[in-house]
Amino acid sequence: MMKLWGARFNGKADEAMEKFNSSLAVDYRLFREDIAGSIAHVTMLVHCDLLTPEEGELLVNGLQSILADIESGELTIEGNYEDIHSFVEMNLTERVGETGKKLHTARSRNDQVAVDMRLYAKNQAFVVMDALQTLIDSLERKGKANNVIMPGYTHLQRAQVVTFGHHLGAYAQMFTRDKKRVQNALEILNENPLGCGALAGTTHSIDREVTTVLLGFDKPVDNFLDGVSDRDYVVELLSSFSLIMMHMSRLSEELILWSSQEFRFVTISDAYSTGSSMMPQKKNPDAAELIRGKTGRVYGSLFALLTTLKGLPLTYNKDMQEDKEQFFDALDTVLDCLEIMSKMIDTLTVNADHMKAAIKGGFLNATELADYLVAKGTPFRDAHEVVGKIIIYCEQKNKAIEDLTVGELQKFSDHIEDDIYEYIDYEVIITKGNKGWMKGE
C-alpha cells in the first residue's frame, strides 16, 4: 500500500491489516475539500517564505490539474492508497516531481483531515438547508392551494376542526426550526484547524490567518489539541439530521394514514407508490414508508458516532476514522428523503369532500357549543356537562349537532337560541376568535 509514512518500520504490514486500515473507499468524496485545503496551505507556505513562488505555482497547478481530471473522469480515485490524502499527494508528486514532497510541510494528516471534514460538513450543511427550504416551500404551496377544513386530532381521535393548510403549516414550522439548527451548527463549526499539526502546532513560522481567509472560516481554532480531535460538529449535524428525519417520519405516518381507505383524505401520486405482486387492487405508500423506515438508520449513525467518541482520550485516535462513514450515510439518507418528500407533497391530491365528511361525523363543533353556552352565562363545567349529554343524544339519534333542531337542543339548556347554528358552523368556527388567522394560511 502506498503510504505517507513507513520509514520508522522494518516489518511489513499484514495485507488484511492494510485493507482494514484503508479509508479510501469512504473518504474519496473529500477530494474537493482535500485539494482546496492543500491549495490554501501551499499559498500560505509561499506567503511565509517556506516555499518559493515558483514551487507554489507548480504545486497549485498540479493540484488543480488533479481536481480537473477527477471531475472529468480522466483520473479515477482508486488503487492501493491508504486514504484520499495519500492519493492526492502521491499523484501530485508523480506529476510535478520532487517538489510534490514539499506539500506536507508544516502540516499533519490530523489537521488535514480535520479541515477536510469541516469544509465538507460546511458545504453540505448549505445543501441540506436548501433541501429543507424546498420542502418548506412545497408544504406551504400545497397548503395554500388546498386550505380546506379537516378534522384535527388528539390521541388519534377527532378533536376540533382545523384546515389542511394549517396542518401542513405545522410541519413547515418543524422544518424551519430544523433549518435553523443546521445553520447554528454551521456557525459553530466554521473554525480553521489548519496549523494545529498533529496536536501541538509546528515549529515553522506559519500564518494561520491566511488559510482561514482563503478557506472561508471565521477564525482559527483556539486550541490545537481540540482542533484535531473535535468532532462535535459532526455529532451536532447528525443530531439535526435525526430531528429532520423524525419530523419527516411523523409526516410520513400521517400521509400513510390519510391515504388509507379508512381515511381517504389524500391520494399519493402513482410516481411515489407501488403495487402488490399478489393483490391487484393495492396501491401502497412506499415512499412514505421508506422515509419512516430510514429514520432509524439516521438515528443509528448518531448513536454510533456518540458511542465511538465517548471514551476517547485526547487527541487524534484512529477510531475517529469512523466518523466519515456514519456522517456520509446519514447525509445521503437525509438528502434523498427530503427530495422524495418534497416531490410527494407537490404531487399529492387532497380529497376535500372526505375531510369534510369526517368532520360532520365527529362532533368537532362540541367545544364551540360549550363556548357558546359560556358566552350565554353558563359556567364552563356546567356547559361541558350539557354538551356531553347532547353528544350522547346525537349518537342515539345518529345525528350531528348541527342537525338537531333548536327545540331538541333546548331540552338540554334554555340558554340555547336560534343563533346557535352560526356559532357551530364549521366554516364560521375557523374565522372566530384567535382561530381567525388559521383559515388564511
Side-chain angles (χ1 to χ4, degrees):
M1 176 176 287
M2 301 180 186
K3 306 181 184 74
L4 299 178
W5 53 273
R8 180 251 181 269
F9 290 81
N10 291 319
K12 184 179 179 181
D14 182 88
E15 185 176 337
M17 174 57 189
E18 289 198 340
K19 183 178 179 181
F20 188 60
N21 186 55
S22 175
S23 61
L24 185 64
V26 175
D27 64 23
Y28 71 89
R29 69 165 74 189
L30 297 176
F31 72 91
R32 291 185 181 87
E33 288 74 18
D34 194 74
I35 291 172
S38 289
I39 289 173
H41 182 66
V42 168
T43 303
M44 183 275 295
L45 293 177
V46 172
H47 175 79
C48 296
D49 296 326
L50 294 170
L51 289 176
T52 67
E54 293 75 21
E55 289 172 328
E57 183 179 6
L58 183 64
L59 292 174
V60 168
N61 289 341
L63 289 165
Q64 290 174 336
S65 71
I66 291 173
L67 177 61
D69 287 350
I70 293 173
E71 291 182 332
S72 70
E74 187 173 333
L75 177 62
T76 304
I77 302 176
E78 60 185 10
N80 193 26
Y81 298 93
E82 190 173 4
D83 49 35
I84 189 61
H85 321 301
S86 56
F87 175 87
V88 170
E89 184 170 335
M90 290 179 179
N91 273 275
L92 178 66
T93 301
E94 287 179 10
R95 295 187 181 208
V96 305
E98 289 296 301
T99 304
K101 296 180 179 179
K102 296 187 177 184
L103 175 66
H104 212 53
T105 304
R107 186 173 67 171
S108 164
R109 274 195 303 177
N110 291 359
D111 60 347
Q112 185 177 3
V113 70
V115 79
D116 286 7
M117 274 299 288
R118 281 183 190 260
L119 286 172
Y120 186 82
K122 182 168 72 165
N123 293 337
Q124 295 304 309
F126 285 110
V127 176
V128 172
M129 287 192 292
D130 286 345
L132 281 166
Q133 189 59 53
T134 298
L135 177 53
I136 293 166
D137 292 343
S138 295
L139 290 164
E140 292 179 343
R141 187 166 52 245
K142 182 63 66 172
K144 185 176 181 180
N146 299 274
N147 200 34
V148 296
I149 59 174
M150 68 174 291
Y153 293 82
T154 62
H155 306 278
L156 208 53
Q157 303 294 314
R158 296 172 196 167
Q160 288 183 280
V161 62
V162 297
T163 65
F164 186 70
H166 195 58
H167 200 121
L168 291 191
Y171 286 103
Q173 289 296 310
M174 295 179 202
F175 295 120
T176 298
R177 292 196 298 273
D178 290 332
K179 186 178 176 183
K180 290 178 181 178
R181 290 186 186 97
V182 176
Q183 175 68 45
N184 183 67
L186 192 158
E187 291 173 1
I188 293 173
L189 72 84
N190 201 29
E191 298 182 356
N192 180 19
L194 274 181
C196 294
L199 76 161
T202 174
T203 56
H204 294 286
S205 295
I206 63 172
D207 188 340
R208 298 169 65 208
E209 291 293 340
V210 172
T211 54
T212 297
V213 172
L214 288 172
L215 295 174
F217 288 111
D218 291 335
K219 62 185 288 293
V221 298
D222 292 325
N223 185 286
F224 293 156
L225 281 74
D226 181 55
V228 297
S229 64
D230 171 34
R231 296 298 183 272
D232 292 0
Y233 61 94
V234 182
V235 173
E236 188 171 10
L237 284 170
L238 287 175
S239 178
S240 297
F241 295 170
S242 295
L243 281 167
I244 293 168
M245 291 301 300
M246 183 265 283
H247 292 148
M248 279 198 286
S249 184
R250 294 183 71 179
L251 178 54
S252 293
E253 174 69 12
E254 298 216 274
L255 292 173
I256 292 163
L257 287 171
W258 290 346
S259 63
S260 68
Q261 291 299 305
E262 284 68 29
F263 280 77
R264 292 192 291 174
F265 286 179
V266 301
T267 302
I268 296 175
S269 168
D270 289 356
Y272 305 102
S273 307
T274 65
S276 166
S277 61
M278 177 179 179
M279 297 166 284
Q281 83 282 10
K282 293 292 293 300
K283 181 179 177 181
N284 301 323
D286 278 23
E289 290 175 351
L290 282 168
I291 292 171
R292 186 177 60 182
K294 288 178 183 294
T295 299
R297 179 174 181 159
V298 176
Y299 288 0
S301 293
L302 171 61
F303 282 101
L305 185 56
L306 283 169
T307 303
T308 297
L309 296 173
K310 76 174 184 65
L312 292 186
L314 292 176
T315 53
Y316 183 82
N317 299 273
K318 199 59 177 274
D319 315 49
M320 295 164 74
Q321 183 168 290
E322 290 296 299
D323 66 342
K324 295 164 197 63
E325 193 161 6
Q326 301 303 333
F327 182 72
F328 297 161
D329 186 76
L331 173 69
D332 293 345
T333 302
V334 167
L335 289 174
D336 286 347
C337 290
L338 283 168
E339 179 184 5
I340 294 298
M341 181 61 81
S342 297
K343 292 179 176 179
M344 189 161 46
I345 294 296
D346 280 337
T347 57
L348 195 70
T349 300
V350 179
N351 304 321
D353 290 344
H354 288 291
M355 290 182 177
K356 193 166 186 177
I359 288 171
K360 191 169 181 64
F363 308 113
L364 271 68
N365 49 8
T367 302
E368 283 65 37
L369 176 55
D371 290 344
Y372 170 88
L373 291 171
V374 170
K376 295 288 186 175
T378 305
F380 178 76
R381 286 302 168 203
D382 293 341
H384 190 283
E385 183 177 353
V386 168
V387 175
K389 292 177 180 178
I390 292 173
I391 296 300
I392 293 173
Y393 178 82
C394 287
E395 290 176 336
Q396 292 170 344
K397 299 294 184 180
N398 195 28
K399 290 184 176 182
I401 296 173
E402 62 271 21
D403 293 335
L404 300 180
T405 66
V406 173
E408 287 177 298
L409 289 168
Q410 287 176 340
K411 292 177 183 178
F412 300 94
S413 172
D414 55 13
H415 284 167
I416 297 176
E417 300 175 20
D418 290 340
D419 61 349
I420 181 61
Y421 297 108
E422 181 181 351
Y423 210 95
I424 61 174
D425 179 86
Y426 290 111
E427 295 287 354
V428 173
I429 286 171
I430 294 296
T431 66
K432 283 187 175 291
N434 67 359
K435 296 182 183 181
W437 54 274
M438 188 188 298
K439 182 66 176 174
E441 279 201 349

